[in-house]
Each structure stands twice: as structure tokens, then as C-alpha cells.
Amino acid sequence: AKKMNIPILGLIENYSYLECPDCKKKINVFGESKIEEVAMDNQVQVLGKIPIDPQVAKACDAGELEDLKVDYLQGAANVVDVILK
């Protein structure tokens, strides 16, 4: 993106973790996240971490993602709000 002069607003980590439905413990299925280091190295901020969540998949399949009541991407929404103002 930098070589093409495309601004990077930040990073969003997909499949960041899995939350145990019983105890709410976050399980790093794909190992420990390195997103903070990558963001720091590239001088951008982390805008969100999306977990493996069946309700996200269900909402996407139904075309109702905007109706999902989760805050995984609140950081990204805040950045977009600032840009649009």
C-alpha cells in the first residue's frame, strides 16, 4: 500500500482468538498475536480484533452483519467517523 501511495488507516486482525462460551477465556487458536508489533513497526494503530464467533458467521450469511451487536470494530468505526467529519 505504501509503494502505491495508499494510506493505511490501521490494522484489523481477523480470527484473532476464540472465546470459550462457558468461561469466556480467550483462546489463541493460531498462536500468540503479533498484531501490536506489526502495527508499531508500520506506524499504524490496531483498529480491531475479530474473534472466531459463530454469531458473526451467521449474521454474514443472513446479510445482517450491520445488525450484529458487538464492539469488535469500534476502533475502526471511530477512525471512519473522524474521516467523514
Side-chain angles (χ1 to χ4, degrees):
K2 287 181 182 180
K3 288 182 181 181
M4 295 187 301
N5 226 10
I6 299 170
I8 300 170
L9 302 177
L11 301 177
I12 297 173
E13 185 175 60
N14 198 20
Y15 297 145
S16 183
Y17 58 90
L18 172 68
E19 186 175 283
C20 175
D22 297 323
C23 70
K24 305 300 181 196
K25 178 182 177 184
K26 291 183 179 180
I27 303 164
N28 296 316
V29 179
F30 299 108
E32 197 64 36
S33 173
K34 305 278 189 248
I35 193 168
E36 302 294 340
E37 295 169 24
V38 172
M40 189 179 303
D41 289 347
N42 290 282
Q43 299 173 341
V44 296
Q45 57 185 320
V46 176
L47 301 179
K49 295 181 177 184
I50 305 172
I52 300 170
D53 185 343
Q55 68 175 333
V56 171
K58 184 177 178 182
C60 287
D61 290 346
E64 300 170 348
L65 185 58
E66 64 279 357
D67 297 331
L68 193 59
K69 304 296 183 222
V70 294
D71 64 352
Y72 307 137
L73 298 177
Q74 189 58 53
N78 294 342
V79 168
V80 171
D81 283 345
V82 169
I83 291 171
L84 295 177
K85 288 183 180 182

